[in-house]
């Protein structure tokens, strides 16, 4: 930060505004001889960054949480972003050897809107 000397804005972190967290340590309780340890859910509802996507690997599958600045995003935008992430993951699962350029992120409705409706120049 000192070397780059970005313009300081105390409402933002100086290095990044978006965080991705993958917790893949499992969700089973730990046990020691005289001590039992269990996970405690993070109840924080205050966004520390513009956008944080936290994904936890559980025995049932992946659990994701989006935490975002309501000054920058609204709920419909984040629902759309979450849908794009789900589409991307499904595309990877369908073909794990696919290159990044071949992975789908948009729904069929969004693709139609983008390619046909918004591209109608007649």
């Amino acid at each position: 930060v000192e070397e780059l000397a970005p313009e300081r804005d105390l409402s933002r972190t100086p290095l990044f505004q978006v965080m991705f967290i993958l917790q893949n340590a499992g969700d089973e309780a730990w046990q020691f001889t005289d001590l039992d340890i269990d996970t405690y859910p993070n109840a924080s509802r205050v966004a520390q960054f513009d956008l944080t996507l936290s994904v936890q690997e559980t025995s049932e599958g992946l659990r994701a949480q989006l935490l975002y600045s309501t000054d920058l995003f609204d709920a419909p935008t984040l629902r759309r972003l979450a849908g794009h992430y789900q589409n991307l993951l499904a595309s990877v699962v369908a073909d794990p050897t696919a290159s990044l350029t071949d992975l789908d992120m948009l729904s069929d409705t969004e693709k139609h809107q983008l390619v046909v409706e918004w591209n109608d120049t007649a």
Side-chain angles (χ1 to χ4, degrees):
V1 174
E2 186 176 306
E3 187 174 318
L4 294 175
E7 187 175 322
R8 301 294 281 182
D9 179 352
L10 297 179
S11 69
R12 308 179 74 118
T13 60
L15 294 179
F16 63 92
Q17 288 78 43
V18 176
M19 179 182 279
F20 177 78
I21 303 167
L22 174 61
Q23 299 287 340
N24 58 353
D27 59 352
E28 62 277 345
W30 300 336
Q31 293 185 346
F32 297 96
T33 305
D34 295 324
L35 181 67
D36 289 338
I37 299 175
D38 202 351
T39 58
Y40 185 77
N42 183 357
S44 174
R45 305 305 295 169
V46 178
Q48 295 175 332
F49 304 102
D50 292 353
L51 178 65
T52 300
L53 172 57
S54 178
V55 180
Q56 182 179 12
E57 200 173 310
T58 70
S59 55
E60 292 90 35
L62 297 177
R63 182 180 324 148
Q65 177 185 34
L66 275 169
L67 199 58
Y68 60 94
S69 169
T70 55
D71 291 340
L72 300 174
F73 302 103
D74 60 7
T77 299
L78 270 291
R79 276 194 287 278
R80 197 168 54 251
L81 177 68
H84 292 161
Y85 186 60
Q86 283 181 301
N87 292 341
L88 182 63
L89 292 178
S91 187
V92 169
V93 169
D95 187 0
T97 62
S99 68
L100 287 175
T101 57
D102 294 330
L103 297 176
D104 285 325
M105 184 176 73
L106 301 176
S107 68
D108 290 338
T109 303
E110 289 172 315
K111 280 187 234 174
H112 182 269
Q113 184 180 41
L114 182 64
V115 173
V116 177
E117 295 174 25
W118 290 353
N119 201 31
D120 184 6
T121 58

